[in-house]
Amino acid sequence: MTAERWAGTPEPGDIPGELPSGLPGIPPYGPRVGPTGGLADGLADGLADGLADGLAGGLPGDDALDDRVPFLARLEQADRAALLALGRELSFAPRMVLLHQSEPSSHVLFIVAGWTKVTAAAANGYEALLALRGPGDVVGESAALTGRTRSATVTALEAVRTVAVQRERFTDFLNRSPATSFALLGLTSDRTRAADRRRLEFASMSVRERFAALLLDLARTHGRRTAEGVELSVPLSKQELAGSVGASREAVQRLLKELRERGVVTTGRRALVIVRPGVLRRIARAEEAE
């Protein structure tokens, strides 16, 4: 790919402050939710209102995956309230670990407010960013259902509020609520489809293309308008970005350097602003650059 193709000419979405459109990612599902009041009614009502607002823009179509539709958004209000009433509220400061990889499973966590990252470490120390989980999401459910140790670590990216439900209470509730069980099965299926799609992308796209697509996804789901462009609101390190696209930290550093030189992004310590998303779109759609 030539330097001229990297720089390109202005396109819709290149204008600072304009959120990119038509991205290869999945539509966002609403604002961060910070409910107040009683544990059962307050959290359930707050989540219901926030998730309803977020989903008002429409669910993904046939060309998109549903894996980012939060678990609690899939439940009826009564089931959601009954499930949250089984637990107790836990709060976590930024960078605190909610769940540790390889630890025994004793509970599941339902995220009420704030965002977390899900990472897994290999035996050689390589750490991959698997997902970002936010309001309405459930974490730790796989280990709770199988009885195995946890397969990943979940860490708070900001102040996070959760409801912790003991494993036995959670599985008993699933036995008594077929609708909730089917909702969890649907979530598992959607996440499996997303993982399959990711494997296909890894096989068919270069690191540069995957990295451009990742930045566009993050801009769509976690971007906020600023005077300079679209700032990513999740503080991810270069290592975490590298782990998300199956690359080395050095490779991501080289890509960011090239993008900075072309005026596509600006970076700071755990901060990244996308100035020209149209260029990233052309990189992600490699066939247009050939």
Side-chain angles (χ1 to χ4, degrees), residues 26-31 50-51 53-55 58-60 64-66 68-70 135 221:
I26 300 169
Y29 288 101
L51 293 172
D53 291 341
L55 290 169
L59 294 173
L65 297 175
D66 294 339
R68 290 186 188 175
V69 178
T221 58

Side-chain angles (χ1 to χ4, degrees), residues 208-254:
R208 176 182 279 119
E209 292 159 5
R210 295 199 300 267
F211 187 61
L214 171 67
L215 294 182
L216 290 169
D217 273 340
L218 292 174
R220 180 67 182 248
T221 58
H222 297 86
R224 60 182 171 224
R225 297 177 180 87
T226 68
E228 293 77 24
V230 181
E231 181 181 5
L232 303 187
S233 61
V234 286
L236 298 174
S237 67
K238 292 183 180 66
Q239 181 60 56
E240 290 161 348
L241 292 172
S244 186
V245 295
S248 67
R249 185 177 187 274
E250 292 71 23
V252 166
Q253 284 182 315
R254 289 193 296 270

Side-chain angles (χ1 to χ4, degrees), residues 75 79 172-183:
L75 303 181
D79 290 332
D172 180 65
F173 186 84
L174 293 178
N175 286 331
R176 294 184 286 104
S177 175
T180 304
S181 297
F182 276 109

Side-chain angles (χ1 to χ4, degrees), residues 66-144:
D66 294 339
D67 67 298
R68 290 186 188 175
V69 178
F71 173 63
L72 293 178
R74 301 168 183 248
L75 303 181
E76 296 294 335
Q77 184 174 0
D79 290 332
R80 183 165 53 239
L83 182 56
L84 293 176
L86 298 176
R88 61 190 182 92
E89 187 173 355
L90 295 178
S91 297
F92 300 87
R95 300 190 183 182
M96 283 188 65
V97 174
L98 287 67
L99 303 173
H100 290 269
Q101 182 176 345
S102 300
E103 74 176 2
S105 171
S106 62
H107 61 282
V108 299
L109 293 175
F110 298 97
I111 301 174
V112 175
W115 285 89
T116 67
K117 63 178 181 180
V118 182
T119 59
N124 64 0
Y126 184 84
E127 186 176 82
L129 175 65
L130 303 181
L132 299 176
R133 302 293 183 220
D137 278 320
V138 56
V139 292
E141 76 285 354
S142 295

Side-chain angles (χ1 to χ4, degrees), residues 196-214:
D196 290 343
R197 177 177 178 177
R198 189 178 186 189
R199 283 192 290 270
L200 178 61
E201 290 176 348
F202 269 49
S204 62
M205 299 172 70
S206 68
V207 171
R208 176 182 279 119
E209 292 159 5
R210 295 199 300 267
F211 187 61
L214 171 67

